[in-house]
Amino acid sequence: MPDRKRPRSEYDAEATRAADLSNHPTFYFDDGNVILRTGKTLFRVHRSVLAHHSDALRALVRPEQGSPQLRNCMLVVLEDEQQEIEVMLQMIYDGMRVDFETITIENWPVVSGLLRTSTKYGLIRVRSDLLRLFVREWPTTLEAYLCKEPTPSSADQKRVVVHPVFVIALLRETGIDDQALLATLFYRLSRHVYQFSDPATKGRLTALAPVDLQRFVFGVAALRTDYARCTLRPTLDVDQAHLGCQTELEQLWSNLIMPTILNTRDLLGSPIEDLEAVKTGLSGRSTSFCPGCRQSLISHYDTLQKTIWDSMALTDYLFDTVIETLYGANLPRLQAFKPVLDPQEIMGVVGG
């Protein structure tokens, strides 16, 4: 009696058609021995190539008894997006490096997906390349930040940038604890004036974990307090020969310095930028200051600017402050009151 058993390849072909699966146009190698499935796309790749790049990938494609099979290959079903796996395989097979010049709304889905994928599968080189890209986009030193930050006349200001909330959430999700990078992102976040009644604002801020939202609220208050100290008028150590400089300072204080610092539009929200504007104004303004007094004033505001940047209060609240430090001996009493006064965790949502 003839063997009526259908060949395995026919079953595979029928199952593929039934599931409406398709081979990836590039990363489907006939000699591959592992098939990665994401959605309806199949990637047929080589176990040895993937295993060479990380321990996580080695474990992923390690054959085990009873492993699902498709087309005589081990089948691994992934939850990742097709584009994420495609870019990851380009990195692995083609040696492609992260070569984005900048991060924009347009390429953010690829960049964020690649960071998640490289973290999940232990691709250290790719993850390191991405971290350098993030630091280039959101500089962590004052000098680099001032060079990157667009001026009002800069054409780059028209570029739609990724909101810092989503970057912070991604860094937290992928376990990147770069304190300087997080601090500059929280500073950029603090420059916004928020209307909590605005649905768009609520939608963005809910991307932050409650603990980060709480730290953000405390950090903004501390940053504003530090900056408020800059509203104290500086003094010049002048003798009789420099009385004209003192008079000039009083005029500059009224016409340039105070209007710049006390910019009510952003509620003291841009200390680094405001102090840079003061320094620029002092350098380029035609005044009767003698060179020594002019330079003394510029150095004064330069020092204030560097002090705020280097000891940014946000950094303290982001990494070092714990709830016991904030509330001290009052913490047990406040914790006892909390279920009674805030049973729906409203303060946790708004960061209080």
Side-chain angles (χ1 to χ4, degrees):
M1 183 180 231
D3 187 3
R4 303 180 63 184
K5 201 176 193 179
R6 295 168 62 188
R8 175 75 188 199
S9 59
E10 292 184 18
Y11 284 109
D12 286 343
E14 183 176 297
T16 300
R17 286 193 298 271
D20 193 24
L21 302 177
S22 60
N23 302 338
H24 188 270
T26 303
F27 296 105
Y28 191 93
F29 303 102
D30 291 337
D31 61 344
N33 51 8
V34 175
I35 292 180
L36 307 178
R37 174 182 171 179
T38 172
K40 296 183 179 298
T41 303
L42 301 177
F43 299 85
R44 187 166 180 170
V45 293
H46 306 90
R47 177 180 290 111
S48 60
V49 174
L50 267 62
H52 174 72
H53 280 79
S54 78
D55 293 339
L57 287 174
R58 185 180 303 113
L60 180 72
V61 299
R62 182 183 298 123
E64 297 181 358
Q65 187 174 3
S67 298
Q69 298 287 311
L70 180 64
R71 304 172 187 174
N72 295 320
C73 296
M74 176 182 174
L75 174 65
V76 180
V77 180
L78 305 175
E79 297 179 356
D80 308 274
E81 297 292 332
Q82 174 188 330
Q83 188 178 37
E84 296 173 0
I85 298 302
E86 181 179 319
V87 175
M88 181 184 76
L89 292 175
Q90 285 178 332
M91 301 282 181
I92 291 174
Y93 275 92
D94 302 336
M96 190 179 85
R97 302 297 294 257
V98 177
D99 59 355
F100 297 108
E101 292 185 4
T102 187
I103 298 177
T104 65
I105 289 292
E106 288 75 19
N107 65 24
W108 175 248
V110 176
V111 171
S112 58
L114 190 53
L115 182 57
R116 292 187 183 97
T117 304
S118 63
T119 300
K120 179 178 179 179
Y121 297 115
L123 299 175
I124 297 175
R125 176 178 61 80
V126 177
R127 182 177 156 99
S128 298
D129 286 348
L130 287 166
L131 183 56
R132 282 191 289 270
L133 174 63
F134 276 64
V135 171
R136 190 167 70 241
E137 183 68 27
W138 294 283
T140 57
T141 66
L142 177 59
E143 293 75 13
Y145 176 85
L146 292 173
C147 290
K148 175 74 176 180
E149 194 65 9
T151 60
S153 60
S154 172
D156 187 56
Q157 196 174 35
K158 298 178 182 179
R159 179 171 60 90
V160 180
V161 298
V162 180
H163 197 283
V165 157
F166 302 122
V167 186
I168 294 168
L170 177 66
L171 296 181
R172 295 301 200 195
E173 177 188 344
T174 54
I176 293 179
D177 194 26
D178 187 312
Q179 297 187 9
L181 177 57
L182 283 163
T184 192
L185 284 164
F186 269 86
Y187 171 69
R188 286 174 182 260
L189 185 59
S190 74
R191 293 184 59 196
H192 296 264
V193 178
Y194 291 102
Q195 298 293 333
F196 282 90
S197 58
D198 180 7
T201 294
K202 288 183 179 179
R204 292 189 187 100
L205 291 180
T206 52
L208 288 179
V211 65
D212 274 337
L213 189 54
Q214 182 178 17
R215 288 165 170 167
F216 171 63
V217 171
F218 281 112
V220 168
L223 182 62
R224 300 290 195 273
T225 300
D226 284 347
Y227 186 35
R229 298 192 181 101
C230 296
T231 60
L232 300 176
R233 184 167 65 177
T235 58
L236 293 175
D237 186 15
V238 298
D239 54 24
Q240 192 71 20
H242 296 275
L243 290 179
C245 294
Q246 185 65 44
T247 303
E248 183 67 21
L249 173 59
E250 293 174 0
Q251 294 178 356
L252 277 176
W253 181 255
S254 300
N255 299 329
L256 170 67
I257 300 174
M258 283 302 291
T260 302
I261 293 178
L262 296 182
N263 183 349
T264 57
R265 288 178 302 173
D266 61 4
L267 303 177
L268 298 177
S270 302
I272 300 301
E273 291 73 15
D274 291 348
L275 291 173
E276 186 67 15
V278 170
K279 288 161 47 184
T280 301
L282 289 171
S283 299
R285 195 182 185 98
S286 177
T287 68
S288 58
F289 273 123
C290 69
C293 289
R294 181 196 296 269
Q295 187 55 49
S296 177
L297 275 176
I298 294 173
S299 297
H300 169 76
Y301 286 107
D302 187 60
T303 299
L304 287 176
Q305 185 186 48
K306 289 178 178 177
T307 299
I308 289 177
W309 181 271
D310 292 339
S311 59
M312 199 176 292
L314 288 174
T315 304
D316 297 332
Y317 284 98
L318 275 173
F319 307 104
D320 301 327
T321 301
V322 294
I323 193 169
E324 289 81 1
T325 304
L326 291 173
Y327 297 112
N330 293 318
L331 180 60
R333 184 165 59 90
L334 293 172
Q335 288 175 327
F337 287 158
K338 186 176 183 297
V340 178
L341 300 177
D342 187 23
Q344 296 181 321
E345 291 280 353
I346 299 300
M347 292 303 291
V349 172
V350 301

